[in-house]
Amino acid sequence: MTRRWRTLLAVSLIFLSAACTRKPGTASALKPTAFGAALVESSGGKQTGAIGTLLPQPLVVQVNDEQGAAVTGALVDFNGQASVTFDPPSALTDASGQVTTNVALGSVAGRYQLTVRTSTRAQKLVELNIEEIALGYQEQLGFQLDNKYCASCHDPESTPERVSNYDNLEVKPHPFTEGGTFNQISDDDLTAIISHGGPAINKSALMPPYGYTLNKTEIESLISYIRLVSDPPYHAPGTVYTRK
Ligand code: HEC
C-alpha cells in the first residue's frame, strides 16, 4: 500500500468512527444482544440543576433479568420533553448491566419527567420514570442561599464542604423537599419566619432571623426555590387543575 492510500484509509476510518459516536440518535443502529425484565435506577434521579445545563451527576440505570441479575447488552433508551437532551440518548448495557447518560434539562424552570425504556425478549416495554428539577435564575439564587445559610441545619446529610448541624438541634427543622410541611405554610408565613426567626410563627427560636442578612429579593428567591423542590409538589392557592 502506498503512503497516500494508507493516509486516505486512516482518514476515512476516523470519519467512520466519528460518524458512529456522533450519531447515537439512530437507535435502530444499536442491536440488543440480550433482554431484561426490569429497569432500576442506580443513581442520578431527583437532582436539581440550572436550566439548560448538564445535571451535576450522570443518570445511571441498570437492566436486570427476572432473578434480579444484571443483564449485559440490553438496549436502553432515554426520553424526555423535547428540550431535554441525553448523551447518549440510547445505549447497550455494559458488563455490570448499566447504562450511563448525561442529561441536560430544558430552558424552562420546573420538574422534568424522564422516561427510561427497555424491552423484554417478548417485545414488552419496561419503563422507569425519573424526575429531575431545573432551577431558573430565581430558584438558582435560592439554592445558593440555601447552601450558604440554611442547609447546615435543614439538610440532615453532611457533604464534603459542609458538616450538618442537624443532629445537634433539639428541635428538628425540615429538609426543604418535605412538601408535607412546607406546602402547609403560606408565602407570608415563610417570609415572616425567614425574616424574624422561629418565634414569628410560634416556632422554636433555634430558627434564626435573616431579616438583616438577606434582602427581600433573596428571601423571595428562597421561597420560590422551596416551592419548586417540594415533594409532593406545591400547588399555588387558586390554581385550577384538570381532573386526572
Ligand atoms: C441554626 C440552625 C438553622 C438554620 C441555619 C436555619 N434554620 Fe430554619 N429552622 C431551624 C429549626 C430548629 C426549625 C424548626 C422550628 C420549629 O419547628 O419549632 C426551623 C424551621 C424553619 C422553617 C419552618 C418549617 C420547618 O422546617 O419546621 C422554615 C421555613 C425555615 N426554617 C427556613 C429557613 C431558611 C430559609 C433558612 C436559611 C436562610 C434557615 N431556615 C436556616 C433551624 C435553622
Side-chain angles (χ1 to χ4, degrees), residues 145 149-150 152-154 165 169 171-174 176 181-182 185 190 193-194 201-204 206-208 210 214 222 226:
L145 293 168
Y149 297 107
C150 326
S152 56
C153 290
H154 279 266
N165 189 29
L169 294 168
V171 184
K172 300 297 179 198
H174 299 83
F176 294 146
T181 298
F182 291 92
I185 309 177
L190 284 180
I193 188 172
I194 299 170
I201 61 166
N202 292 321
K203 289 189 173 252
S204 164
L206 288 173
M207 165 61 201
Y210 287 91
L214 303 174
L222 272 164
I226 291 171

Coordinates of all heavy atoms in Angstrom, one line a residue, residues 145 149-150 152-154 165 169 171-174 176 181-182 185 190 193-194 201-204 206-208 210 214 222 226, ligand 1:
L145 N -28.3 30.4 48.2 CA -28.5 30.9 49.5 C -28.8 29.8 50.5 O -28.3 29.9 51.7 CB -29.7 31.9 49.5 CG -29.5 33.2 48.7 CD1 -30.8 34.0 48.6 CD2 -28.4 34.1 49.4
Y149 N -26.7 29.5 53.8 CA -27.2 29.9 55.1 C -28.1 28.8 55.8 O -28.2 28.8 57.0 CB -28.1 31.1 55.0 CG -27.3 32.4 54.6 CD1 -27.5 32.9 53.3 CD2 -26.5 33.0 55.5 CE1 -26.8 34.0 52.9 CE2 -25.8 34.2 55.1 CZ -25.9 34.6 53.8 OH -25.3 35.8 53.4
C150 N -28.7 28.0 55.1 CA -29.8 27.2 55.7 C -29.4 25.7 55.8 O -29.8 25.0 56.7 CB -31.1 27.3 54.9 SG -31.4 28.9 54.2
S152 N -27.0 23.9 56.5 CA -26.3 23.4 57.6 C -27.2 22.8 58.7 O -26.8 21.9 59.5 CB -25.3 24.4 58.2 OG -26.1 25.6 58.5
C153 N -28.4 23.4 58.8 CA -29.4 22.9 59.8 C -30.5 22.1 59.1 O -31.0 21.1 59.7 CB -30.0 24.1 60.5 SG -28.9 24.9 61.7
H154 N -30.9 22.6 57.9 CA -32.1 22.0 57.3 C -31.9 20.7 56.6 O -32.8 20.0 56.2 CB -32.9 23.0 56.4 CG -33.7 23.9 57.2 ND1 -35.1 23.7 57.4 CD2 -33.4 25.1 57.9 CE1 -35.5 24.7 58.2 NE2 -34.6 25.5 58.5
N165 N -25.4 20.3 61.0 CA -25.6 20.6 62.4 C -26.9 20.0 62.9 O -27.3 20.1 64.1 CB -25.7 22.2 62.5 CG -25.7 22.7 63.9 OD1 -25.1 22.1 64.8 ND2 -26.3 23.8 64.1
L169 N -29.4 19.7 66.9 CA -30.5 20.6 67.2 C -31.6 19.9 68.0 O -32.0 18.8 67.7 CB -31.1 21.1 65.9 CG -30.2 22.1 65.1 CD1 -30.8 22.3 63.7 CD2 -30.0 23.4 65.8
V171 N -34.7 20.9 68.5 CA -36.0 20.9 67.6 C -35.5 20.7 66.2 O -34.6 21.4 65.7 CB -36.7 22.2 67.7 CG1 -38.0 22.2 67.0 CG2 -37.0 22.6 69.2
K172 N -36.1 19.7 65.5 CA -35.6 19.4 64.2 C -36.3 20.2 63.1 O -37.5 20.2 62.9 CB -35.8 17.9 63.9 CG -35.1 16.9 64.9 CD -33.6 17.1 64.8 CE -33.0 16.1 65.8 NZ -31.6 16.5 66.1
P173 N -35.4 20.9 62.3 CA -36.0 21.6 61.1 C -36.3 20.6 60.0 O -35.8 19.4 60.1 CB -34.9 22.6 60.7 CG -33.7 22.1 61.4 CD -34.0 21.1 62.4
H174 N -37.1 21.0 59.0 CA -37.4 20.0 57.9 C -36.5 20.3 56.7 O -36.3 21.5 56.4 CB -38.9 20.1 57.6 CG -39.8 19.8 58.7 ND1 -40.1 20.7 59.7 CD2 -40.3 18.6 59.1 CE1 -40.9 20.1 60.6 NE2 -41.0 18.8 60.3
F176 N -36.0 21.1 52.9 CA -36.9 21.9 52.1 C -37.7 21.1 51.1 O -38.6 21.6 50.5 CB -36.1 23.0 51.4 CG -35.6 24.1 52.4 CD1 -34.4 24.7 52.1 CD2 -36.3 24.4 53.5 CE1 -33.9 25.6 53.0 CE2 -35.8 25.3 54.4 CZ -34.6 26.0 54.2
T181 N -44.7 19.4 55.0 CA -44.6 20.5 56.0 C -44.7 21.9 55.3 O -45.5 22.7 55.6 CB -43.2 20.5 56.7 OG1 -43.1 19.3 57.4 CG2 -43.0 21.6 57.6
F182 N -43.9 22.1 54.2 CA -43.8 23.5 53.6 C -45.0 23.9 52.9 O -45.4 25.1 52.8 CB -42.5 23.6 52.8 CG -41.3 23.6 53.7 CD1 -40.6 22.4 53.9 CD2 -40.8 24.7 54.3 CE1 -39.5 22.3 54.8 CE2 -39.7 24.7 55.1 CZ -39.1 23.5 55.4
I185 N -47.5 25.9 54.8 CA -47.1 27.3 55.2 C -47.3 28.3 54.1 O -46.7 28.0 53.0 CB -45.6 27.3 55.7 CG1 -45.4 26.1 56.8 CG2 -45.3 28.6 56.4 CD1 -44.0 26.0 57.3
L190 N -43.9 32.1 55.5 CA -42.5 31.7 55.1 C -41.6 33.0 55.2 O -40.5 33.0 55.8 CB -42.3 31.1 53.7 CG -42.8 29.7 53.6 CD1 -42.6 29.2 52.1 CD2 -42.0 28.7 54.5
I193 N -41.1 33.9 59.0 CA -40.2 33.1 59.8 C -38.7 33.3 59.3 O -37.8 33.3 60.1 CB -40.6 31.6 59.8 CG1 -39.6 30.8 60.8 CG2 -40.6 30.9 58.5 CD1 -40.1 29.4 61.1
I194 N -38.6 33.4 58.0 CA -37.2 33.6 57.5 C -36.7 35.0 57.9 O -35.5 35.2 58.3 CB -37.1 33.5 55.9 CG1 -37.6 32.1 55.5 CG2 -35.7 33.8 55.4 CD1 -37.8 31.9 54.0
I201 N -43.7 32.7 63.9 CA -44.9 31.9 63.6 C -45.0 30.8 64.7 O -45.3 29.6 64.4 CB -44.9 31.3 62.2 CG1 -43.7 30.4 61.8 CG2 -45.0 32.4 61.1 CD1 -43.9 29.6 60.6
N202 N -44.6 31.2 65.9 CA -44.8 30.3 67.1 C -43.9 29.0 66.9 O -44.3 27.9 67.4 CB -46.2 29.9 67.3 CG -47.0 31.0 67.8 OD1 -46.5 31.9 68.6 ND2 -48.2 31.2 67.3
K203 N -42.7 29.2 66.3 CA -41.8 28.0 66.3 C -40.6 28.4 67.1 O -40.4 29.5 67.6 CB -41.5 27.7 64.9 CG -42.7 27.0 64.1 CD -42.3 26.5 62.8 CE -43.4 25.7 62.2 NZ -43.2 24.3 62.1
S204 N -39.7 27.4 67.2 CA -38.5 27.5 68.1 C -37.6 28.6 67.6 O -37.4 28.9 66.4 CB -37.8 26.2 68.0 OG -36.5 26.3 68.5
L206 N -34.6 28.4 67.8 CA -33.4 27.8 67.2 C -33.4 28.2 65.7 O -32.3 28.0 65.0 CB -33.4 26.3 67.4 CG -33.1 25.8 68.8 CD1 -33.3 24.3 68.8 CD2 -31.7 26.1 69.2
M207 N -34.5 28.5 65.1 CA -34.6 29.0 63.8 C -34.2 30.5 63.8 O -35.0 31.3 64.3 CB -36.0 28.8 63.2 CG -36.3 29.5 61.9 SD -35.1 29.1 60.5 CE -35.3 30.5 59.5
P208 N -33.0 30.9 63.3 CA -32.6 32.3 63.4 C -33.3 33.3 62.5 O -33.8 32.8 61.5 CB -31.1 32.2 63.1 CG -30.8 30.8 62.7 CD -32.0 30.1 62.6
Y210 N -33.3 36.2 59.6 CA -32.4 36.5 58.5 C -32.7 37.9 57.9 O -32.2 38.3 56.9 CB -32.4 35.5 57.4 CG -31.6 34.2 57.9 CD1 -32.3 33.2 58.5 CD2 -30.3 34.1 57.7 CE1 -31.7 32.1 58.9 CE2 -29.6 33.0 58.2 CZ -30.3 32.0 58.8 OH -29.6 30.9 59.2
L214 N -30.5 39.0 54.7 CA -31.0 38.8 53.4 C -32.0 39.9 53.0 O -32.8 40.3 53.8 CB -31.7 37.5 53.3 CG -30.9 36.2 53.7 CD1 -31.8 35.0 53.7 CD2 -29.7 36.0 52.7
L222 N -35.5 32.4 47.9 CA -35.5 31.2 48.8 C -36.9 30.5 48.8 O -37.0 29.3 48.7 CB -35.1 31.5 50.2 CG -33.7 31.5 50.6 CD1 -33.4 32.3 51.9 CD2 -33.1 30.1 50.7
I226 N -37.9 26.8 47.5 CA -38.6 25.8 48.4 C -39.8 25.3 47.7 O -40.1 24.1 47.7 CB -38.9 26.5 49.8 CG1 -37.6 26.8 50.6 CG2 -39.9 25.6 50.6 CD1 -37.9 27.6 51.9
Ligands
HEC1 C1 -29.1 27.1 63.2 C2 -30.0 26.2 62.5 C3 -30.9 26.8 61.4 C4 -30.5 27.5 60.3 C5 -29.1 27.9 59.9 C6 -31.8 27.7 59.6 N1 -32.8 27.2 60.2 FE1 -34.8 27.2 59.6 N2 -35.3 26.1 61.3 C7 -34.4 25.7 62.3 C8 -35.2 25.0 63.3 C9 -34.6 24.3 64.5 C10 -36.5 25.0 62.8 C11 -37.7 24.3 63.5 C12 -38.5 25.2 64.3 C13 -39.7 24.5 65.0 O1 -40.2 23.5 64.4 O2 -40.1 25.0 66.0 C14 -36.5 25.7 61.6 C15 -37.7 26.0 60.9 C16 -37.8 26.6 59.6 C17 -39.0 26.8 58.8 C18 -40.4 26.3 59.2 C19 -40.5 24.8 58.7 C20 -39.7 23.8 59.4 O3 -38.7 23.3 58.9 O4 -40.1 23.5 60.6 C21 -38.6 27.5 57.7 C22 -39.5 27.9 56.6 C23 -37.2 27.7 57.8 N3 -36.7 27.2 59.0 C24 -36.4 28.4 56.8 C25 -35.1 28.6 56.9 C26 -34.3 29.2 55.9 C27 -34.8 29.7 54.6 C28 -33.0 29.3 56.3 C29 -31.8 29.9 55.7 C30 -32.0 31.3 55.2 C31 -33.0 28.6 57.6 N4 -34.2 28.2 58.0 C32 -31.8 28.4 58.4 C33 -33.1 25.9 62.3 C34 -32.3 26.6 61.4

